[in-house]
């Protein structure tokens, strides 16, 4: 069930860093826009779940991959239906 929820969110959520925002590289005193594809991962869904429930996620950024994952959390959120499905899946897994 969780796998289906992850797939659903991956299809619906934006697939560029920062929820559609463009990353900029500094070159020759001007900014060039660089789009970078981001796949929505279970940790991104977990962070957005925490935010949806009113929490503040505390994360440790220890490398560029972690930073990219955090940027991928921006610009989208879970729907009420997705939150309910995640909670139902959690209840089922606890049995």
């Amino acid at each position: 069930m969780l796998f289906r929820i992850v797939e659903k969110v991956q299809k619906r959520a934006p697939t560029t860093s920062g929820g559609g925002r463009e990353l900029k590289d500094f070159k020759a005193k001007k900014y060039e826009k660089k789009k970078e594809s981001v796949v929505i991962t279970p940790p991104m869904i977990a962070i957005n779940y925490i935010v949806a429930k009113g929490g503040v996620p505390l994360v440790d950024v220890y490398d560029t991959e972690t930073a990219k994952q955090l940027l991928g959390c921006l610009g989208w959120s879970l729907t009420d239906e997705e939150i309910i499905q995640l909670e139902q899946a959690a209840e089922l897994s606890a049995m």
Side-chain angles (χ1 to χ4, degrees), residues 1-55:
M1 182 171 188
L2 281 173
F3 182 72
R4 284 183 278 161
I5 297 168
V6 170
E7 283 183 328
K8 181 180 173 186
V9 173
Q10 286 174 337
K11 289 178 185 174
R12 183 188 57 76
T15 57
T16 56
S17 297
R21 297 178 186 162
E22 295 170 334
L23 300 177
K24 295 179 180 178
D25 286 335
F26 185 75
K27 290 185 178 179
K29 296 187 181 180
K30 70 176 187 175
Y31 289 102
E32 293 182 14
K33 294 179 181 178
K34 175 185 171 188
K35 288 196 174 190
E36 191 172 311
S37 181
V38 174
V39 175
I40 303 300
T41 63
M44 291 177 190
I45 293 171
I47 289 171
N48 271 304
Y49 176 81
I50 292 168
V51 171
K53 297 305 279 184

Side-chain angles (χ1 to χ4, degrees), residues 9 12-14 48-49 51-52 73-80 82-83:
V9 173
R12 183 188 57 76
N48 271 304
Y49 176 81
V51 171
C73 294
L74 301 175
W76 63 276
S77 59
L78 297 169
T79 64
D80 291 338
E82 291 164 343
I83 292 168

Side-chain angles (χ1 to χ4, degrees), residues 62-80:
Y62 48 87
D63 60 15
T64 56
E65 185 59 35
T66 307
K68 286 180 184 179
Q69 289 236 355
L70 288 174
L71 285 174
C73 294
L74 301 175
W76 63 276
S77 59
L78 297 169
T79 64
D80 291 338

